[in-house]
Amino acid sequence: MRKFTSFIGLIITISVAAQNTNYWQQHVDYSMNIDMNVENYQYDGTQKLVYTNNSPDTLDEVFYHLQFNAFQPGSDMDIRLQNIADPDGRMVNNLGTRKAPIYESRIAKLKPNEIGFIKVNALQQDGVDVKHEVIGTILKVTLNTPIIPGGKTVLDMNFKGQVPLQIRRSGRNSDEGIALSMTQWYPKLAEYDFEGWQTNQYIAREFHGVWGDFDVKITIDKEYTIGGTGYLQNPNEIGHGYSDMPIKHKKKVKKLTWHFKAPNVHDFTWAADSEYIHDKIKGENDVTLHFFYKNDKEIIENWKKLQPKTAELLSYYNTHIGQYPYKQYSVIQGGDGGMEYAMCTLITGGRNFGSLVGVTAHEFAHTWFQFLLATNETKHEWMDEGFTSYISSQAMNDILNQEKENPNAGSYRGYLRLAKSGVEEPLTTLADHYTYNYSYSNSAYSKGAVFLAQLGYIIGKENLEKTLKKYFEDFKFKHPTPNDIKRTAEKVSGIQLDWYLIYFTKTTATIDYAVDNVDTNQITLKRIGKMPMPLDLKVTYTDGTDENFYIPLKMMLGSKPTAATPLNSWSWTAPTYSFSAQKAVKSVEIDPSHLMADIDDTNNNFGL
């Protein structure tokens, strides 16, 4: 009896551990003091980090990201640029022609005063010096005292940084004249989750982080305006558009210290420039929307018009995904394109109005998918980029009254080109490891968006809308995995979807269905592609009437809500499917909605 009881106890322990392992989260609180020199673009920093180990494991080491170290000749990022066939054009010089390019890494050409770095001058654990080693963009720390489950430790660091020339995401003196785009700029604790330490070298793509509270003081020349993550604690000392009263600083004051606090975020970003205009408006739920952009007459009108549209975007995402939990969001001119960060985005500002709204729509949507759900983008980048592309296209269609039948048609075109290119790799490929940047972009953005849009085709539009809301509500602040979106959709729809997740994300199998034969009222369909799907079918009869049919996929073990005439399910093992229509058939069309990503629609019709 004792052995049996022990066995039952072991099962319960394993079950609980497995459940908790999926969703426990580490916690880290940062206190930082930064002194920025705008003449040489170097800064001195102190950091106090309180790390709480909520995992079931005892930790005898921790890791930090030192991502500015990537902007040095010989770094992994530099070497990658020199060896990938289609490097990011912002990061290289083309010494050849457009048709016969010869690429030169911009990082390889950086001089000592142009590189980026983070140098750790001192590090202590609980007041005692601790052993540490810099390995590229990773700092490995061997703890003096292991952190037990539920335990805490304090890590104090003294460091020095240098802001690189603007090459990718971060940097100084961008093409649009922004002085400082401070992203991935501080020693950032790496995430430890149910899969272990996430310690990828920084290659300029996305990142993963630990949620916590930030308390950051930045001292900088008084002419510079700062926008970024968090809430300014001393607006009436700073001014610069944060205070409702006029603030005039004394001439003898050379620098100001900006004090920000940011609760429950996994990153901290800021940008600074001496020519920023700072506007702010109120959005839904009393959220303050800040806008920072250059005092350039060529762009001011568009940035003014952007502001009410950003408020509309906030409302759209609150309604269609879930409530934004913070009280501010900042749209900041900076960086080298568009990139999302906690409570803010950095975007290039010299765009036409449609492009300005479009990039804001996309980066703002990332807040929900990357900074609140926060999938590990180094492994599942399509869940962030793709889902963001899906919802931002839907939002743009709504707030700009575009009236597109399929707002995600561009994503379908991108995916179909990729599927036919011969260079597609599975969505399970690590983000930094795609053979081509082209493959990465069209996989993460286009195929990822199609995953959601096509899921709506499989389970029904209303079920997709319910799935997105439930997914957000159930998994915000939990770093969800691909299985979590699949299980959410299964619970909402009652349809089995393991086949869909595996085929579409873990293989490069394609969809291709055809109308094989029509004989009076006998219709035969054929599956040519390897990936099976349920089918919507429109049949027009010779008497001018038409009828819609629905053929479920057998292994779905269920059907989507539809007004179409239901037919028997089609097994993936059967290459053809036949049925009898009610009357003589004039024409047949597979998937009239074009929401199924069929790679060859020329064989989807008969009689049209």
Side-chain angles (χ1 to χ4, degrees):
M1 184 65 179
R2 181 178 297 172
K3 289 183 178 179
F4 179 75
T5 303
S6 299
F7 178 66
I8 292 297
L10 177 61
I11 291 176
I12 292 172
T13 301
I14 291 173
S15 176
V16 172
Q19 183 179 5
N20 290 341
T21 294
N22 284 330
Y23 300 117
W24 51 260
Q25 301 297 333
Q26 304 293 67
H27 185 87
V28 60
D29 291 329
Y30 292 86
S31 296
M32 292 190 283
N33 285 276
I34 308 300
D35 190 359
M36 171 62 72
N37 184 331
V38 297
E39 299 300 323
N40 64 10
Y41 302 102
Q42 293 185 356
Y43 54 100
D44 295 299
T46 62
Q47 180 189 85
K48 178 180 180 180
L49 190 154
V50 182
Y51 185 41
T52 303
N53 179 18
N54 292 321
S55 82
D57 305 322
T58 296
L59 305 178
D60 55 14
E61 58 187 8
V62 299
F63 298 87
Y64 289 76
H65 297 283
L66 307 176
Q67 291 167 321
F68 266 9
N69 289 356
F71 298 98
Q72 300 176 11
S75 69
D76 284 5
M77 189 191 293
D78 179 30
I79 294 169
R80 177 68 164 163
L81 284 172
Q82 296 180 43
N83 288 280
I84 193 169
D86 59 339
D88 187 318
R90 292 166 290 196
M91 302 174 72
V92 294
N93 300 314
N94 184 1
L95 304 181
T97 64
R98 185 174 180 180
K99 291 184 177 180
I102 301 173
Y103 296 118
E104 174 187 70
S105 166
R106 289 180 59 203
I107 294 176
K109 307 296 286 185
L110 292 177
K111 300 173 184 177
N113 67 335
E114 297 172 337
I115 66 171
F117 62 70
I118 298 176
K119 295 179 179 179
V120 179
N121 296 324
L123 181 61
Q124 293 185 329
Q125 180 192 11
D126 298 324
V128 180
D129 289 346
V130 65
K131 181 181 177 182
H132 54 279
E133 176 187 6
V134 176
I135 307 169
T137 63
I138 296 295
L139 177 71
K140 179 181 179 181
V141 182
T142 303
L143 297 173
N144 299 325
T145 304
I147 317 171
I148 63 173
K152 293 184 178 181
T153 198
V154 177
L155 295 162
D156 286 292
M157 183 187 294
N158 181 290
F159 66 97
K160 188 175 191 67
Q162 179 170 287
V163 188
L165 288 182
Q166 180 78 48
I167 290 179
R168 189 69 181 103
R169 305 198 191 285
S170 306
R172 69 194 202 226
N173 301 324
S174 72
D175 287 344
E176 293 187 336
I178 305 301
L180 293 166
S181 296
M182 299 297 288
T183 70
Q184 291 113 287
W185 59 276
Y186 62 95
K188 178 178 178 179
L189 195 74
E191 178 66 285
Y192 182 81
D193 59 21
F194 72 101
E195 294 180 303
W197 284 103
Q198 306 301 311
T199 54
N200 295 296
Q201 294 285 332
Y202 184 52
I203 313 289
R205 292 216 196 283
E206 316 297 356
F207 44 86
H208 197 38
V210 190
W211 275 291
D213 299 335
F214 285 74
D215 188 319
V216 181
K217 293 180 179 177
I218 303 167
T219 301
I220 194 170
D221 287 44
K222 67 180 180 181
E223 291 83 7
Y224 283 71
T225 301
I226 295 179
T229 304
Y231 309 120
L232 184 64
Q233 301 298 294
N234 55 340
N236 292 337
E237 296 175 22
I238 295 298
H240 285 268
Y242 283 94
S243 176
D244 293 328
M245 62 178 70
I247 306 295
K248 187 174 182 179
H249 302 290
K250 296 178 181 179
K251 288 185 178 181
K252 66 179 181 180
V253 174
K254 301 299 182 184
K255 286 187 172 185
L256 299 176
T257 297
W258 301 59
H259 185 192
F260 293 94
K261 289 187 177 181
N264 207 22
V265 295
H266 60 82
D267 192 35
F268 189 97
T269 289
W270 56 285
D273 195 86
S274 60
E275 297 178 353
Y276 270 150
I277 294 174
H278 176 197
D279 295 332
K280 57 185 179 182
I281 65 171
K282 283 293 183 180
E284 189 172 88
N285 299 331
D286 204 34
V287 173
T288 302
L289 298 171
H290 296 267
F291 301 85
F292 300 87
Y293 54 97
K294 294 283 277 189
N295 188 5
D296 177 354
K297 64 180 181 180
E298 298 296 325
I299 69 171
I300 290 176
E301 181 181 357
N302 282 342
W303 275 82
K304 297 289 187 185
K305 290 165 58 180
L306 170 68
Q307 295 169 25
K309 292 300 179 184
T310 306
E312 291 181 54
L313 287 168
L314 172 63
S315 179
Y316 186 93
Y317 297 143
N318 281 341
T319 299
H320 291 87
I321 311 174
Q323 292 297 305
Y324 180 73
Y326 308 115
K327 286 301 179 182
Q328 81 93 356
Y329 187 82
S330 298
V331 182
I332 307 167
Q333 185 180 4
D336 61 354
M339 183 62 196
E340 72 280 3
Y341 299 99
M343 296 193 202
C344 66
T345 181
L346 269 61
I347 62 174
T348 46
R351 301 165 175 265
N352 63 47
F353 178 65
S355 176
L356 194 63
V357 176
V359 71
T360 303
H362 183 88
E363 306 308 335
F364 198 3
H366 272 298
T367 289
W368 282 260
F369 290 113
Q370 171 53 10
F371 282 94
L372 297 174
L373 287 161
T375 294
N376 185 347
E377 285 187 280
T378 66
K379 296 181 178 181
H380 314 300
E381 67 284 350
W382 59 274
M383 293 181 68
D384 174 45
E385 293 296 354
F387 292 9
T388 293
S389 296
Y390 169 83
I391 201 68
S392 60
S393 293
Q394 298 284 334
M396 285 284 287
N397 195 52
D398 183 82
I399 71 168
L400 291 185
N401 301 311
Q402 294 174 333
E403 299 183 351
K404 294 179 180 179
E405 185 175 352
N406 178 6
N408 298 102
S411 293
Y412 276 81
R413 290 192 293 271
Y415 162 63
L416 293 175
R417 283 194 297 268
L418 174 67
K420 299 173 187 178
S421 69
V423 298
E424 183 186 5
E425 298 175 67
L427 290 179
T428 50
T429 305
L430 292 172
D432 287 324
H433 293 247
Y434 280 83
T435 303
Y436 298 96
N437 276 322
Y438 167 82
S439 302
Y440 164 79
S441 297
N442 284 277
S443 295
Y445 293 78
S446 298
K447 192 174 183 180
V450 171
F451 177 91
L452 269 193
Q454 189 169 242
L455 179 61
Y457 168 82
I458 295 168
I459 67 175
K461 181 180 178 181
E462 290 185 2
N463 278 336
L464 176 62
E465 293 172 353
K466 292 176 183 177
T467 293
L468 272 181
K469 292 179 183 179
K470 182 172 177 55
Y471 172 60
F472 178 78
E473 188 60 33
D474 289 352
F475 294 103
K476 59 187 177 184
F477 300 108
K478 291 184 179 179
H479 294 315
T481 66
N483 190 62
D484 295 319
I485 184 66
K486 184 212 74 168
R487 289 292 293 128
T488 303
E490 288 180 334
K491 292 174 182 178
V492 168
S493 68
I495 291 172
Q496 297 299 304
L497 294 165
D498 209 41
W499 62 274
Y500 182 56
L501 182 67
I502 291 171
Y503 266 107
F504 207 65
T505 70
K506 297 185 178 182
T507 80
T508 56
T510 55
I511 303 164
D512 186 10
Y513 280 87
V515 180
D516 191 48
N517 188 56
V518 176
D519 185 2
T520 311
N521 69 330
Q522 298 295 308
I523 299 173
T524 299
L525 308 174
K526 185 177 183 179
R527 177 169 61 84
I528 300 170
K530 186 175 181 180
M531 181 172 172
M533 286 287 285
L535 291 186
D536 290 339
L537 207 66
K538 181 178 180 179
V539 174
T540 301
Y541 298 115
T542 55
D543 64 6
T545 62
D546 56 57
E547 184 175 7
N548 293 317
F549 292 92
Y550 171 60
I551 306 172
L553 190 62
K554 190 174 183 179
M555 57 185 168
M556 289 166 49
L557 302 179
S559 301
K560 70 177 178 182
T562 178
T565 302
L567 297 174
N568 292 331
S569 60
W570 187 346
S571 172
W572 70 272
T573 61
T576 61
Y577 180 98
S578 298
F579 71 98
S580 299
Q582 296 180 18
K583 296 176 280 190
V585 172
K586 176 184 177 183
S587 65
V588 178
E589 182 181 7
I590 296 173
D591 179 30
S593 70
H594 303 290
L595 290 175
M596 185 173 71
D598 192 309
I599 64 166
D600 181 9
D601 61 4
T602 62
N603 55 16
N604 286 15
N605 306 304
F606 167 83
L608 291 178

